DNA sequence: CCGGGCCTCCACCGTTCGGTTGAGGCGCAG
DNA sequence: CTGCGCCTCAACCGAACGGTGGAGGCCCGG
């Protein structure tokens, strides 16, 4: 049982390259090649492939929107040049079954297509490491725009507030006086435009300062 | 520049299979094979390989603990038979650079080793799909084990606290008196084992109750 | 029928927080 | 040298919170 694939990328060279790699495998069949979003959606709905390989950036309808439209009909593998954090998040929210960088190499591409066809999901290692950095306890800064403008010390205090520490505990943790902690907190609150420490915590959590 | 790898698995057949696959590649060199956790840790510390391939279940010291011990020294790729959710979570917390199922096939294994050596991370498609399924829009499990036992009303209050609302505002939001809000909060705090509303907020955020 | 959980409220009191004002020290750019 | 920003602390006061001990109502199950 061969895996039927629709390939969509507006760059002809890339599209040909993808197809070439896929056609070299005898368990994979490329049933359509498209050069923009709408035609990809149409092809998927008409041909009902097992997998749709979509460039994330395409004319008229980008890969993410196209993925959203066909996510119920087929497994979508996103191909892209850059593993931009925001794009990855949005793609994963859409529910794609794969996320492959264009420079990942044939083995990864083939593994992603086969994984998608099998109901699994493969994410390019370069992207995965970024994901883990942002999600894992080991990963750190990822400075959110909303927290920009805070000084280093203020960020320290904000992070501890977000973990539920009282001012006295924060003072002890950072070897400061409670007065200093309060000063940092008042200043940070003013800059962040929040009214109390729980809103600070909410901001810290939603911005990824703490997890 | 070849990738130097330490392989550790207590099942000889598996260990030989892994080594065989790796030795077939001319950019990879297996510098040690170990059959338990302590010897794997020792081998890593002595040989300083680029990648350590660790079975998650090994005598005396399992792969996770071994990974924790050597995570600073080398990139760790976990190999395992089952992609158990909890094991995956704990592995990712430890900061592994790969998570490969034993039935994933040579291409995935090789890709994982090369990705790890390059500072990236590859997760087996079968595991990735489980991760994505559990992933809420923020990348955390949609289910909230820690919040179990709270009543509906208490959850309402907790969610509003997590958004930074004061007791008076929560009372207005839910058309209650401040006294009732405080009661719910005290009860919820006792059940959750937290000391103040910011810890409630932290719990709500980290459990995915609010985003 | 009666216990028990849940939801709703009240009063009281000590602790903590929010915000202000004011102050000294440090390092750095103008 | 002179600001200026950052970090550090202090005193003070009103507002909010944390915790306790009640109270009545509801519904459900034994």
């Amino acid at each position: 049982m061969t895996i039927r694939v629709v390939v969509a990328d507006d760059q002809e060279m890339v599209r040909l390259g993808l197809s070439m790699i896929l056609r070299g495998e005898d368990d994979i069949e490329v049933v359509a090649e498209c050069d923009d979003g709408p035609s990809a959606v149409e092809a998927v709905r008409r041909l009902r492939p097992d997998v749709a390989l979509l460039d994330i950036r395409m004319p008229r309808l980008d890969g993410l929107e196209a993925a959203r439209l066909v996510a119920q009909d087929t497994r979508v593998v996103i191909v892209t040049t850059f593993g931009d954090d925001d794009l990855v998040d949005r793609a994963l929210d859409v529910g794609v079954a794969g996320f492959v960088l264009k420079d990942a190499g044939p083995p990864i591409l083939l593994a992603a297509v086969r994984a998608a066809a099998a109901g699994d999901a493969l994410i390019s290692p370069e992207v995965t490491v970024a994901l883990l950095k942002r999600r894992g306890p080991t990963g750190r800064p990822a400075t959110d725009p909303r927290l920009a403008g805070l000084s280093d010390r203020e960020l320290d205090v904000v992070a501890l507030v977000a973990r539920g520490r009282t001012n006295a505990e924060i003072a002890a943790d950072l070897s400061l006086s409670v007065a200093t902690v309060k000063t940092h907190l008042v200043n940070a609150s003013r800059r962040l435009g929040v009214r109390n420490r729980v809103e600070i915590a909410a901001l810290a959590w939603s911005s990824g300062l703490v997890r």
Side-chain angles (χ1 to χ4, degrees), chain A:
Chain A
M1 160 190 152
T2 68
I3 301 170
R4 302 172 62 247
V5 182
V6 164
V7 177
D9 194 313
D10 61 316
Q11 297 169 282
E12 190 176 2
M13 294 258 296
V14 176
R15 193 170 67 245
L16 286 179
L18 293 174
S19 297
M20 199 77 83
I21 294 168
L22 297 180
R23 289 185 205 276
E25 304 298 303
D26 52 12
D27 62 333
I28 297 178
E29 179 189 358
V30 177
V31 296
E33 296 185 23
C34 314
D35 61 359
D36 68 358
S39 66
V41 172
E42 185 276 328
V44 167
R45 294 199 167 147
R46 180 164 47 84
L47 299 169
R48 295 287 166 153
D50 299 295
V51 177
L53 211 57
L54 304 179
D55 188 354
I56 208 168
R57 201 152 286 166
M58 282 190 295
R60 290 200 280 284
L61 187 71
D62 73 24
L64 276 184
E65 278 312 309
R68 212 186 305 274
L69 291 176
V70 302
Q72 311 306 323
D73 304 326
T74 190
R75 309 276 180 177
V76 174
V77 173
I78 293 289
V79 290
T80 177
T81 304
F82 304 106
D84 175 88
D85 286 349
D86 187 46
L87 285 182
V88 173
D89 278 344
R90 284 160 55 202
L92 296 186
D93 284 344
V94 169
V96 302
F99 198 100
V100 179
L101 297 191
K102 286 180 181 173
D103 60 2
I108 293 286
L109 175 68
L110 293 171
V113 169
R114 294 192 176 106
D120 298 326
L122 188 144
I123 299 174
S124 259
E126 298 89 341
V127 177
T128 299
V129 73
L131 271 181
L132 293 184
K133 275 213 184 95
R134 285 189 294 134
R135 302 300 189 204
T138 39
R140 243 323 71 161
T143 320
D144 189 282
R146 284 170 294 178
L147 294 177
L150 292 195
S151 69
D152 291 346
R153 216 53 171 152
E154 285 164 351
L155 280 178
D156 291 341
V157 175
V158 166
L160 287 172
V161 165
R163 294 199 172 86
R165 310 286 285 168
T166 65
N167 287 345
E169 289 168 341
I170 295 171
D173 290 347
L174 299 179
S175 299
L176 296 175
S177 86
V178 178
T180 304
V181 174
K182 290 177 64 174
T183 301
H184 287 315
L185 230 27
V186 168
N187 291 334
S189 295
R190 214 192 310 275
R191 294 198 191 180
L192 296 174
V194 300
R195 301 167 303 156
N196 57 55
R197 60 173 44 218
V198 193
E199 284 192 352
I200 291 181
L203 201 50
W205 279 94
S206 65
S207 72
L209 179 64
V210 293
R211 334 164 210 272

